[in-house]
Amino acid sequence: MKFSSVLRSSAIALQSIVSVSAVVVNPLPAPRNITWGNSGSIEISPSLSLNLGNASEIVSQAFERTWERVVDLKWYPAAIEQPLASYVTTPYRKRDVSGVVVSRINIDIEDVDIPLQLGVDESYKLDVESGSGEISIASATTWGALHALTTFQQLIIYQNGSFILEEPVSIWDAPLYPHRGIMIDSGRNFLQKKKILEQIEAMSLCKLNSLHWHIDDSQSWPIEIIKYPEMTEDAYSAREVYTQQDIKDVVAYGKVRGVRIIPEIDMPGHSRAGWQKVNPEIVSCADIFWTESAVEPAPGQLNPVNNDTYKIVQDVYDELSALFDDNIFHVGADELQETCYNFSTSVREWYAEDESRTISDLLQLWVDKTEPIFMNTPDRRLTMWEDVVMTTHARNVSKNVILQSWDVASNVKNLTSQGYDVIVSSYLHFYLDCGFSGFVTNDPRYIDVPANDDFNENNAGSWCGPYKSWQRIYDYDFTQNLTETEKSHVLGAEVCLWSEQVDSAVITQKIWPRTAALAESTWSGNKNAEGYFRTNFVSQRIFNFREYLVAIGIDASPLVPKFCLQNPHACDLYQNQTILFEYDA
Ligand SMILES: *[C@@H]1O[C@H](CO)[C@@H](O)[C@H](O)[C@H]1NC(C)=O
Ligand SMILES: *[C@@H]1O[C@H](CO)[C@@H](O)[C@H](O)[C@H]1NC(C)=O
Ligand SMILES: *[C@@H]1O[C@H](CO)[C@@H](O)[C@H](O)[C@H]1NC(C)=O
Ligand SMILES: *[C@@H]1O[C@H](CO)[C@@H](O)[C@H](O)[C@H]1NC(C)=O
Ligand SMILES: *[C@@H]1O[C@H](CO)[C@@H](O)[C@H](O)[C@H]1NC(C)=O
Ligand SMILES: *[C@@H]1O[C@H](CO)[C@@H](O)[C@H](O)[C@H]1NC(C)=O
Ligand SMILES: *[C@@H]1O[C@H](CO)[C@@H](O)[C@H](O)[C@H]1NC(C)=O
Ligand SMILES: *[C@@H]1O[C@H](CO)[C@@H](O)[C@H](O)[C@H]1NC(C)=O
Ligand SMILES: *[C@@H]1O[C@H](CO)[C@@H](O)[C@H](O)[C@H]1NC(C)=O
């Protein structure tokens, strides 16, 4: 019995836990390079003042927010751990407070005007010196300075009436990948604006920089369009609509926290709600029962052979894209169903004009006709789901299109080897909606008869079950098997929370804190300097990060009994702290 022997050995492990008193506050994500001093704790004045070299409203406001939070929160982590010596450059040593009281933070930014876009320099240096009594941050851009502040925020603890930093510290930091994101879906269920802002706040704390907002889907159209006000008749209710001001608010809230907002209007598949109100002729198969026409209810796809489709798409796209700052617009292109179009008279006639035509030609028609519409600013770049190349096989998709890969890892190799830039969202690792069973009703597969055992016992009840735990997310090498050239085409990774069973009531618990694991693997990696998994070094910090989120009012799920949080490594499956090293790179 493998499992019971495991339980026995962890019981033995418990007896040998030594009491630890030192507080080690390591930020999440782990910085690329962190060097602790050992001259003793440094006290920071509650009236810390900012000395900003080049004026930046964004940075001075971020400093105000950060420091106010530190002072209000009086944070002291429950997660207490003496780190293994190899994990820090200088072994940690608890010392008395050195007597230095820091009262000033200097921030020098080379160019405060560089905009927040894909690939912007996000690096920073943060130095807290024992002698000078000053904290110095240096960065190339505003966005690097914001990251420095979230690191700083996580380094300070409140102890015995003082705000202290355990030791002098020197950090150099920069992300491994420019795209570190979360996808949310407000088409299946509406997400309140305040809940979207909450995700952005948590993202900024762990340096995630891209919120991919899958705004609509075939089920609902929740965005105000001035030109076609009838589209929001397909919102779930008049109260479940984003006004254009709401969208601008989300974009502005993200920007001052270094989070890009990347909109997605999923087309031509997953399209019914909203569009059908403008002209029902541009939507195919909307009235065919979904099992014959779609991957899930409700059915509907934009009709590529109807010219009115493009006029309406252009009007909606121009109006919407003007509300967002980002150069990138995600235009969907996933899961196109051939069966849906075969219910359309106009598509059948188009096929009949040339017998060699297939669904690939139909999709290519869409790609060719929409390209000039979508590329409506000089800096515009498009993202599409990989299906457009890997599944429906459009004939010719520009290499300038970023492809978001959700299926098997071999697709990432395929696409990067062709020269496409790719964002990895492997459903086997990064889909946050998995493991909650299916949502369709009148489903006989749940009846307890032998024929249904596979469905109910092998996670098939959720097409992508089981639930993806933080360790599953963290331990995934999303560039595995790629050559150096192929790797250079991986822009980063994104967890996806499809929202058939998610709304404002549960979104935060489904995203946090496990997504902090992706935040670290995309920022500084999931391996130590020797190339071994450093998961064991994250566990205490992710538990701590969860406590921090809850403390600031973001209701993240607990990952463990609090016992595990308070007794570092007492809940490890193996007492051997380097057991993961068996799985080297
Ligand atoms: C990281 O720190 C080490 C010493 O701890 C130093 O040798 C190295 O130059 C640093 N790297 C960067 C990029 O700052
Ligand atoms: C201010 O910006 C200029 C260039 O924009 C840069 O050369 C200079 O170092 C910056 N100064 C400070 C104090 O950040
Ligand atoms: C807090 O102060 C008390 C009394 O000065 C001292 O005994 C204790 O060790 C201090 N605790 C910490 C965590 O520094
Ligand atoms: C659609 O537009 C194309 C060219 O833009 C034109 O050749 C075609 O006749 C139009 N079809 C209809 C039904 O108007
Ligand atoms: C759809 O119609 C095309 C053209 O008639 C045909 O080749 C194809 O097999 C049909 N596909 C399905 C899934 O019925
Ligand atoms: C692919 O499309 C581009 C325009 O986007 C065009 O320049 C190129 O010739 C096309 N290639 C093929 C093989 O059709
Ligand atoms: C990686 O390469 C190994 C060995 O060639 C192969 O077994 C595995 O399937 C590959 N994985 C992916 C995701 O391509
Ligand atoms: C990529 O996948 C497509 C579709 O499965 C296949 O036709 C093509 O040969 C693959 N290309 C590479 C380079 O693996
Ligand atoms: C811990 O596990 C590693 C990897 O399997 C192994 O090399 C090492 O010998 C183990 N250490 C102990 C003390 O068992």
Side-chain angles (χ1 to χ4, degrees), residues 508-523:
T508 300
Q509 294 88 329
K510 292 211 173 168
I511 294 181
W512 302 103
R514 58 183 162 148
T515 294
L518 183 92
E520 176 153 310
S521 68
T522 53
W523 179 276

Side-chain angles (χ1 to χ4, degrees), residues 576-582:
N576 182 340
Q577 295 293 297
T578 56
I579 193 84
L580 267 57
F581 291 13
E582 280 175 26

Side-chain angles (χ1 to χ4, degrees), residues 227-244:
K227 174 138 194 170
Y228 300 119
E230 64 272 33
M231 290 182 86
T232 49
E233 288 167 20
D234 275 346
Y236 285 124
S237 74
R239 294 166 66 190
E240 290 164 291
V241 170
Y242 305 107
T243 64
Q244 298 203 345

Side-chain angles (χ1 to χ4, degrees), residues 280-570:
E281 296 293 310
I282 68 168
V283 177
S284 300
C285 82
D287 53 354
I288 306 298
F289 192 70
W290 74 272
T291 53
E292 291 176 66
S293 54
V295 288
E296 71 176 55
Q301 299 185 161
L302 290 174
N303 184 337
V305 307
N306 186 322
N307 287 348
D308 211 21
T309 300
Y310 301 103
K311 180 188 177 307
I312 296 165
V313 163
Q314 175 156 22
D315 290 340
V316 170
Y317 183 83
D318 282 345
E319 201 177 306
L320 267 181
S321 58
L323 302 174
F324 292 87
D325 283 346
D326 213 81
N327 289 340
I328 295 178
F329 203 108
H330 196 310
V331 292
D334 59 322
E335 295 189 315
L336 207 60
Q337 301 301 299
E338 185 176 8
T339 47
C340 170
Y341 286 132
N342 281 11
F343 289 106
S344 160
T345 309
S346 58
V347 171
R348 281 202 311 269
E349 283 167 6
W350 184 82
Y351 278 139
E353 281 169 24
D354 176 347
E355 301 239 306
S356 74
R357 283 174 177 168
T358 68
I359 184 73
S360 294
D361 299 291
L362 189 60
L363 182 56
Q364 190 61 44
L365 177 68
W366 165 267
V367 167
D368 292 342
K369 288 198 130 195
T370 52
E371 187 186 285
I373 296 173
F374 293 156
M375 299 297 284
N376 63 348
T377 63
D379 295 325
R380 176 73 65 214
R381 227 182 138 184
L382 303 176
T383 301
M384 296 180 194
W385 294 101
E386 67 178 347
D387 311 43
V388 69
V389 172
M390 295 305 303
T391 314
T392 326
H393 311 297
R395 308 280 179 212
N396 181 10
V397 175
S398 162
K399 292 287 174 352
N400 191 40
V401 171
I402 297 166
L403 293 172
Q404 185 166 5
S405 176
W406 61 269
D407 206 338
V408 289
S410 54
N411 284 4
V412 175
K413 190 164 181 72
N414 182 309
L415 294 168
T416 54
S417 74
Q418 293 187 52
Y420 286 107
D421 284 347
V422 168
I423 293 165
V424 183
S425 292
S426 159
Y427 78 96
L428 292 163
H429 306 85
F430 297 156
Y431 266 29
L432 302 182
D433 50 305
C434 306
F436 288 91
S437 195
F439 72 93
V440 297
T441 39
N442 194 24
D443 186 342
R445 292 173 300 177
Y446 294 103
I447 308 278
D448 190 8
V449 292
N452 286 339
D453 284 353
D454 185 51
F455 181 80
N456 289 296
E457 291 169 16
N458 297 324
N459 303 314
S462 169
W463 74 271
C464 57
Y467 183 90
K468 312 306 173 201
S469 73
W470 75 265
Q471 293 178 83
R472 176 79 175 160
I473 294 169
Y474 193 80
D475 292 346
Y476 185 47
D477 282 328
F478 54 85
T479 59
Q480 68 185 21
N481 282 11
L482 303 189
T483 64
E484 288 309 311
T485 310
E486 289 161 0
K487 275 183 192 167
S488 72
H489 285 292
V490 174
L491 300 178
E494 188 176 293
V495 291
C496 297
L497 181 61
W498 296 106
S499 292
E500 287 87 348
Q501 294 172 295
V502 174
D503 69 6
S504 303
V506 300
I507 182 171
T508 300
Q509 294 88 329
K510 292 211 173 168
I511 294 181
W512 302 103
R514 58 183 162 148
T515 294
L518 183 92
E520 176 153 310
S521 68
T522 53
W523 179 276
S524 53
N526 58 1
K527 302 273 175 77
N528 66 15
E530 290 76 44
Y532 296 116
F533 280 114
R534 61 177 185 180
T535 321
N536 208 31
F537 164 61
V538 194
S539 46
Q540 206 60 26
R541 291 182 301 115
I542 198 167
F543 301 161
N544 192 38
F545 188 75
R546 185 266 169 177
E547 299 300 302
Y548 198 96
L549 290 178
V550 172
I552 64 174
I554 299 178
D555 289 338
S557 300
L559 294 175
V560 287
K562 197 160 192 174
F563 170 84
C564 308
L565 163 67
Q566 292 180 335
N567 296 280
H569 301 293

Side-chain angles (χ1 to χ4, degrees), residues 197-198 200-201 248-259:
L197 302 187
E198 184 171 297
I200 294 171
E201 175 161 32
K248 290 179 190 159
D249 292 347
V250 170
V251 169
Y253 190 91
K255 179 174 175 185
V256 300
R257 286 166 180 76
V259 177

Side-chain angles (χ1 to χ4, degrees), residues 94-144:
K94 173 80 173 119
R95 287 288 198 84
D96 295 333
V97 174
S98 65
V100 176
V101 180
V102 178
S103 59
R104 204 159 69 140
I105 182 168
N106 302 309
I107 304 185
D108 286 331
I109 302 166
E110 266 171 49
D111 187 342
V112 294
D113 296 322
I114 296 178
L116 180 65
Q117 293 290 351
L118 177 70
V120 72
D121 187 328
E122 296 175 275
S123 68
Y124 68 90
K125 270 176 68 45
L126 169 65
D127 286 291
V128 183
E129 288 173 30
S130 53
S132 69
E134 282 187 5
I135 303 164
S136 304
I137 287 172
S139 66
T141 68
T142 302
W143 322 110

Side-chain angles (χ1 to χ4, degrees), residues 35-215:
T35 310
W36 294 98
N38 60 4
S39 58
S41 305
I42 292 168
E43 187 177 338
I44 301 180
S45 164
S47 54
L48 185 69
S49 69
L50 171 66
N51 176 31
L52 188 57
N54 286 338
S56 160
E57 192 62 17
I58 290 178
V59 173
S60 47
Q61 283 178 7
F63 169 73
E64 298 290 325
R65 263 197 325 269
T66 303
W67 193 245
E68 220 176 278
R69 172 141 281 161
V70 168
V71 172
D72 284 354
L73 195 58
K74 299 189 169 53
W75 175 249
Y76 184 87
I80 294 171
E81 173 175 39
Q82 177 86 41
L84 299 182
S86 64
Y87 292 148
V88 285
T89 315
T90 307
Y92 172 79
R93 202 144 59 91
K94 173 80 173 119
R95 287 288 198 84
D96 295 333
V97 174
S98 65
V100 176
V101 180
V102 178
S103 59
R104 204 159 69 140
I105 182 168
N106 302 309
I107 304 185
D108 286 331
I109 302 166
E110 266 171 49
D111 187 342
V112 294
D113 296 322
I114 296 178
L116 180 65
Q117 293 290 351
L118 177 70
V120 72
D121 187 328
E122 296 175 275
S123 68
Y124 68 90
K125 270 176 68 45
L126 169 65
D127 286 291
V128 183
E129 288 173 30
S130 53
S132 69
E134 282 187 5
I135 303 164
S136 304
I137 287 172
S139 66
T141 68
T142 302
W143 322 110
L146 294 183
H147 292 315
L149 286 170
T150 60
T151 299
F152 176 60
Q153 174 175 4
Q154 292 180 52
L155 290 173
I156 298 160
I157 61 170
Y158 184 76
Q159 218 175 17
N160 271 5
S162 307
F163 295 97
I164 65 162
L165 206 131
E166 282 293 299
E167 297 285 349
V169 67
S170 179
I171 293 173
W172 172 84
D173 209 3
L176 290 171
Y177 295 94
H179 183 105
R180 308 177 304 280
I182 299 178
M183 190 213 74
I184 56 169
D185 166 12
S186 59
R188 271 51 181 267
N189 279 300
F190 186 74
L191 302 168
Q192 292 162 9
K193 181 171 89 176
K194 69 171 186 193
K195 281 294 170 181
I196 296 177
L197 302 187
E198 184 171 297
Q199 307 319 310
I200 294 171
E201 175 161 32
M203 289 174 76
S204 72
L205 264 183
C206 59
K207 302 181 171 53
L208 288 170
N209 67 354
S210 309
L211 182 72
H212 165 190
W213 186 0
H214 181 94
I215 304 177

